[in-house]
Amino acid sequence: MAVTDADQVRNDAVETALGKLDLDTKARLLAGQDMWSLPAVPEIGLKSLVMSDGPIGVRGVRWTADDPSIALPSPTALAAAWDPELARRAGRLLAQEARRKGVHVLLAPTVNLHRSPLGGRHFECYSEDPYLTGAIGSGYVNGVQDGGVGTTVKHFVGNDAETDRFTVNSVIAPRPLRELYLAPFEAIVAGAHPWGIMTAYNEVNGTTMTEHRYLVNEVLRGEWGFDGYNVSDWMAARSTAGDILGGMDVAMPGPVTVYGVPLADAVRAGEVPESAVDDAVRNVLRLAARVGILDGAPAAVGEVPAPIDGQALARELAARGFVLVRNESAPEESASKESASGGKRALPLDTTPGRTVALIGAAARDARVLGGGSATVFPERIVSPLDGLTAALPEGSLTFTVGADPSDELIPADKGFELRAICRAASGAVIGTGSLPTGQVQWIGDDLPEGVSYETMASIEVTGTFVARDSGEHAFGTRGLGAFTLALGGEVRWEGVQPMGSEADPFEAFFGAPNERARLTLTEGEAVEVSLTYQVPDMTTLPLKAIMFSFLHLGPQRSADELIAEAVEAARAADTAVVVVATTERVESEGFDRKDLTLPGRQNDLVRAVAAVNPNTVVVVNAGSPVELPWREEVAAVLLTWFPGQEGGAALADVLLGEAEPGGRLPTTWPAEFADAPVTEVVPTEGRLEYREGLFIGYRAYEKHGIAPAFPFGHGLGYTDWAYESLEVTPGRATVRVTNTGARPGRETVQVYLAPVADSVERPASWLAGFASVTAGPGESVDVEIVLPERAFEIWDQPSRSWQRIGGSYEVRASRSHGDTRLTAALNL
């Protein structure tokens, strides 16, 4: 990127500030002062730099609902829109949220690949394809930085699974490392100039990433020209000299890290040259200058974009990311009621007056709108499918039944609870209180209620009221390690200590497993006082002080057969049945990988039972990544909604009723069943996770092995039809003419794949080279121009350690998905 006059002023200000710092201050500046920030240095006019988690919303520095956050759809949903400009708008909204919360840098986006569908954190990543990932990630980064807020592209690199993520050695050959796993980072550095990169916990080919001189100093900074700051993943930094010499600028979180005093001591001992410290400080000061917190340096953005309506954009993003993978018409001869649709497809729903909808599924009432782990935010409101359809449909036309609950485990107290946390000293005196968005307490570092400190706090009482939604026996419990006392209705019902179990991942061990502690029979609408007291352990010797525990609840558990029978009767009586199925936090979350792709509970039985009595059955899949859909050909329609964000229910109503078109295309291949997934190895063997599949992940692997997926990469149906009429290609461009042949306006995502003819090197049979989305009215034709980048024709040549263009003949495919080619043209290089 060319250096502008403003860049030069910032660089001069950075050098001036750097020259005023002594060694101890420089070393201190590279170590977090707490969980989320770097220290201020008033003598050079440097304010404290504040970071926050932010893939789908900006939580800020506290785990609280007192300052709510907009919750956008999950990154898989954003990628499913196949629209970098839409991702840019999402980024601009998040920058607006960050500025409101006093945050300078977002710890996002996550651009690791969907190497295996078992990856537990894939809802936070974009795609199995590096080109799509790089394009969406670039849009996101550009949008956030348009708003003057920094990004931290993560996790660099090879962090494509969660099992043993702190210690795993990802063994990746040079070509797949370059062509797949590094490729999104390279594209984002080139196309969006990110101000930050986060290095991962894992090793790559035997070297931990925070100390990886080759990948960080030679590749990221040297070859690609990255000039931002490089921060460790939280608690990933392990070696003072190894990290600073490996190119890691900032060790997080603080206050105790391998930098600070240990770094200054290492310089004085001759183990680290001070020039290495200067380089790191220079990168941090450059970031501070860009976000406008270094005196004498103009911020990179002088005027931020116009204000954005967060609720409206969250709703639009959700609908644009919904992927309609099946949409058939019900056979009229088997319909339980005479169809007024005249054999039309199941979606959009027939809105003829008097028609009825049976909404079924626990997730329709209590939607999961975001993934678990560090991406969690607390929105001001959540619109469930039940909320959205109730508001959109005429009164009396919608019924709801639970059908089958995906979980029979206790979860953090939420619906029906009003809770607060009371912190007490050893004397019993109250020293502070805080609100709780759910029964989950997660206080890390200085994130404590006002007036409270770890030294003075002896106990925390989570207390309040619970109003039962259902009559029956309610279970209450705990999750976390330590000593607890549980009281219900003023009576102590359990007291004891929960020791550490067999959890391997520190993230999971911190939270512990859910444990039932007491049961209480309540009637619907009955209120009861609840209290869970936690004894705070001595944390004086811990480098990072944190308190994590949860007050849990599970409503009355009725027979699954009984619930399914109720749903069947509701479906039989309705014109259309809409069944919402879902995963849970115990299936998809940060900290662990999945063991299979099965929907939890009796949800598959529920769908089959409903479909057997109502041919107009629409299934809504509320999951962040692929699950098996064994009944997919037995239902009229299947709509994938991912984790759809706070406005997901409103967007669902828009799409089901035809107010909006489902705009998504699959960003990852959807396997027919777990056994078909070409890559399922996510558990290391003796610490090593071998990427034996090489270049062949996702659709590349399905094609290589001749496996037919349930739905191919790029697949998605809209509410109109398209004809692909012409394709013209040159070495750098493809032009496709498409015509909307349907009766309503629509959006089409045109995908271009390259397939070498008689290949001279080992490559996939075909790969995505470019894409573009267009809109057109009924009967309208549009020419779509798609750039074919140079890299699409290159491979990484390890002997020369360079990119090599592969000539010869290529078939250029204009496609609706990887499995649906509409036009081809020959290209000779």
Side-chain angles (χ1 to χ4, degrees):
M1 175 175 283
V3 176
T4 65
D5 291 342
D7 289 330
Q8 190 59 55
V9 173
R10 277 190 292 274
N11 289 338
D12 291 345
V14 165
E15 294 303 322
T16 298
L18 177 61
K20 296 177 181 179
L21 298 177
D22 60 27
L23 174 61
D24 292 304
T25 305
K26 289 187 286 192
R28 179 167 58 89
L29 184 57
L30 303 181
Q33 68 175 349
D34 53 29
M35 187 68 181
W36 302 112
S37 69
L38 298 182
V41 184
E43 55 267 35
I44 61 169
L46 175 67
K47 299 180 178 64
S48 176
L49 182 93
V50 179
M51 298 167 256
S52 170
D53 286 317
I56 56 97
V58 183
R59 189 172 62 248
V61 299
R62 297 195 59 209
W63 190 270
T64 176
D66 291 344
D67 183 16
S69 308
I70 293 291
L72 298 180
S74 64
T76 42
L78 189 60
W82 285 61
D83 189 342
E85 280 306 309
L86 188 66
R88 190 166 193 157
R89 290 172 57 204
R92 286 180 171 181
L93 171 62
L94 294 178
Q96 174 179 296
E97 286 278 281
R99 293 193 305 271
R100 179 175 67 81
K101 289 174 175 274
V103 169
H104 304 115
V105 179
L106 292 188
L107 303 172
T110 303
V111 300
N112 301 106
L113 296 185
H114 295 176
R115 171 178 170 262
S116 165
L118 294 181
R121 202 175 179 182
H122 279 354
F123 60 84
E124 197 177 314
C125 309
Y126 290 129
S127 171
E128 68 188 26
D129 183 79
Y131 181 81
L132 178 59
T133 297
I136 302 301
S138 293
Y140 178 102
V141 168
N142 278 319
V144 173
Q145 294 182 176
D146 284 345
V149 174
T151 55
T152 312
V153 187
K154 62 184 187 182
H155 307 85
F156 189 75
V157 60
N159 183 188
D160 308 294
E162 293 293 279
T163 304
D164 296 345
R165 61 180 175 155
F166 288 82
T167 57
V168 63
N169 177 18
S170 299
V171 181
I172 314 172
R175 276 194 62 195
L177 180 60
R178 289 281 189 157
E179 296 179 26
L180 296 179
Y181 302 101
L182 287 171
F185 293 94
E186 182 182 10
I188 293 168
V189 169
H193 195 222
W195 300 346
I197 293 281
M198 181 188 291
T199 44
Y201 294 117
N202 54 281
E203 297 178 358
V204 170
N205 298 331
T207 302
T208 188
M209 278 308 306
T210 56
E211 303 172 36
H212 215 302
R213 298 190 199 190
Y214 170 65
L215 289 179
V216 173
N217 289 337
E218 295 185 35
V219 176
L220 175 63
R221 294 199 185 279
E223 292 181 24
W224 302 350
F226 172 70
D227 69 351
Y229 90 126
N230 176 15
V231 62
S232 72
D233 203 340
W234 265 227
M235 297 177 286
R238 301 174 180 92
S239 165
T240 298
D243 287 337
I244 196 72
L245 295 176
M248 194 191 78
D249 299 323
V250 174
M252 289 296 291
V256 179
T257 78
V258 298
Y259 285 175
V261 172
L263 180 56
D265 289 345
V267 172
R268 293 189 175 102
E271 299 168 3
V272 170
E274 190 167 353
S275 61
V277 177
D278 288 346
D279 287 343
V281 172
R282 188 174 285 113
N283 293 329
V284 171
L285 293 176
R286 186 181 299 114
L287 172 65
R290 285 169 168 162
V291 300
I293 60 171
L294 178 64
D295 287 354
V301 175
E303 184 176 348
V304 300
I308 297 171
D309 183 330
Q311 288 187 3
L313 183 56
R315 185 170 181 166
E316 179 187 353
L317 286 170
R320 287 285 305 279
F322 289 173
V323 183
L324 182 61
V325 293
R326 178 177 171 84
N327 192 21
E328 303 295 327
S329 56
E332 293 184 57
E333 64 272 17
S334 64
S336 57
K337 288 195 170 187
E338 184 179 349
S339 173
S341 64
K344 292 194 303 183
R345 297 190 184 278
L347 293 179
L349 295 178
D350 186 347
T351 55
T352 303
R355 293 186 67 80
T356 57
V357 175
L359 181 62
I360 298 165
R365 180 179 64 182
D366 300 325
R368 186 176 181 196
V369 301
L370 49 82
S374 60
T376 300
V377 295
F378 304 104
E380 187 173 24
R381 72 175 204 161
I382 291 176
V383 183
S384 70
L386 179 57
D387 296 331
L389 285 169
T390 298
L393 290 171
E395 186 175 353
S397 63
L398 180 71
T399 62
F400 170 73
T401 52
V402 171
D405 198 317
S407 175
D408 58 1
E409 285 192 335
L410 291 91
I411 61 173
D414 185 6
K415 299 295 189 296
F417 287 85
E418 289 190 8
L419 301 171
R420 65 189 185 280
I422 301 175
C423 302
R424 293 186 173 89
S427 65
V430 175
I431 58 175
T433 62
S435 64
L436 291 178
T438 69
Q440 187 171 354
V441 175
Q442 183 167 310
W443 297 341
I444 304 175
D446 294 335
D447 181 12
L448 294 170
E450 186 176 352
V452 176
S453 71
Y454 292 100
E455 291 74 23
T456 58
M457 179 172 45
S459 68
I460 303 166
E461 182 186 12
V462 174
T463 183
T465 59
F466 170 61
V467 178
R469 292 196 300 181
D470 301 297
S471 297
E473 193 173 44
H474 292 253
F476 300 85
T478 64
R479 186 181 186 194
L481 310 177
F484 297 93
T485 301
L486 172 65
L488 302 173
E491 177 186 349
V492 174
R493 300 294 299 269
W494 182 81
E495 191 169 10
V497 176
Q498 177 63 41
M500 180 169 292
S502 60
E503 297 86 358
D505 188 294
F507 188 92
E508 192 174 4
F510 233 149
F511 287 99
N515 290 278
E516 181 182 316
R517 304 303 188 189
R519 293 193 171 209
L520 186 64
T521 299
L522 299 169
T523 58
E524 180 182 349
E526 182 179 356
V528 62
E529 293 181 2
V530 296
S531 169
L532 177 67
T533 301
Y534 172 75
Q535 302 301 319
V536 177
D538 181 4
M539 287 183 275
T540 54
T541 62
L542 297 180
L544 175 64
K545 297 175 175 61
I547 294 174
M548 295 183 182
F549 69 91
S550 298
F551 178 31
L552 306 179
H553 169 258
L554 180 65
Q557 294 298 284
R558 295 171 57 198
S559 158
D561 289 336
E562 181 182 346
L563 291 171
I564 291 173
E566 284 184 0
V568 165
E569 291 311 305
R572 195 192 309 274
D575 294 295
T576 301
V578 177
V579 184
V580 183
V581 296
T583 59
T584 69
E585 286 193 11
R586 297 291 284 177
V587 174
E588 287 185 273
S589 186
E590 180 178 352
F592 56 89
D593 291 310
R594 295 195 283 171
K595 294 178 173 56
D596 56 43
L597 304 180
T598 305
L599 283 168
R602 295 278 303 279
Q603 294 182 100
N604 287 331
D605 294 339
L606 170 67
V607 172
R608 283 188 159 128
V610 168
V613 300
N614 192 324
N616 290 308
T617 294
V618 176
V619 182
V620 176
V621 183
N622 179 194
S625 43
V627 291
E628 291 178 344
L629 309 175
W631 33 258
R632 62 189 179 277
E633 295 182 1
E634 302 169 30
V635 300
V638 180
L639 182 69
L640 311 178
T641 62
W642 315 103
F643 298 143
Q646 67 175 59
E647 304 298 318
L652 179 64
D654 292 341
V655 167
L656 292 183
L657 300 180
E659 296 299 319
E661 183 180 41
R665 304 294 184 264
L666 284 179
T668 197
T669 306
W670 206 278
E673 55 186 34
F674 173 60
D676 290 343
V679 181
T680 57
E681 187 178 3
V682 294
V683 177
T685 300
E686 297 181 351
R688 292 166 61 91
L689 183 59
E690 304 268 1
Y691 285 43
R692 294 186 179 89
E693 68 284 348
L695 298 169
F696 299 96
I697 65 171
Y699 64 86
R700 295 165 166 84
Y702 282 88
E703 190 169 25
K704 174 184 173 66
H705 299 297
I707 301 171
F711 306 108
F713 174 80
H715 174 65
L717 307 172
Y719 286 161
T720 189
D721 296 312
W722 297 86
Y724 281 56
E725 299 190 339
S726 65
L727 168 63
E728 297 178 2
V729 298
T730 66
R733 188 173 303 275
T735 303
V736 185
R737 169 161 287 199
V738 295
T739 298
N740 180 349
T741 60
R744 57 178 285 162
R747 173 183 295 270
E748 175 71 340
T749 298
V750 179
Q751 305 159 39
V752 173
Y753 296 86
L754 295 181
V757 179
D759 212 351
S760 60
V761 296
E762 183 188 38
R763 283 190 289 182
S766 63
W767 58 88
L768 180 70
F771 64 90
S773 294
V774 294
T775 57
E780 185 179 357
S781 298
V782 183
D783 288 330
V784 188
E785 290 196 353
I786 299 172
V787 172
L788 303 180
E790 287 282 338
R791 184 57 55 80
F793 300 95
E794 296 175 338
I795 68 165
W796 177 255
D797 180 58
Q798 182 59 17
S800 65
R801 300 181 75 171
S802 65
W803 291 97
Q804 178 181 335
R805 184 177 173 91
I806 305 298
S809 297
Y810 289 84
E811 182 180 77
V812 180
R813 300 172 177 171
S815 306
R816 298 207 72 211
S817 73
H818 184 255
D820 185 2
T821 296
R822 296 301 178 92
L823 297 171
T824 63
L827 178 64
N828 295 306
L829 296 182

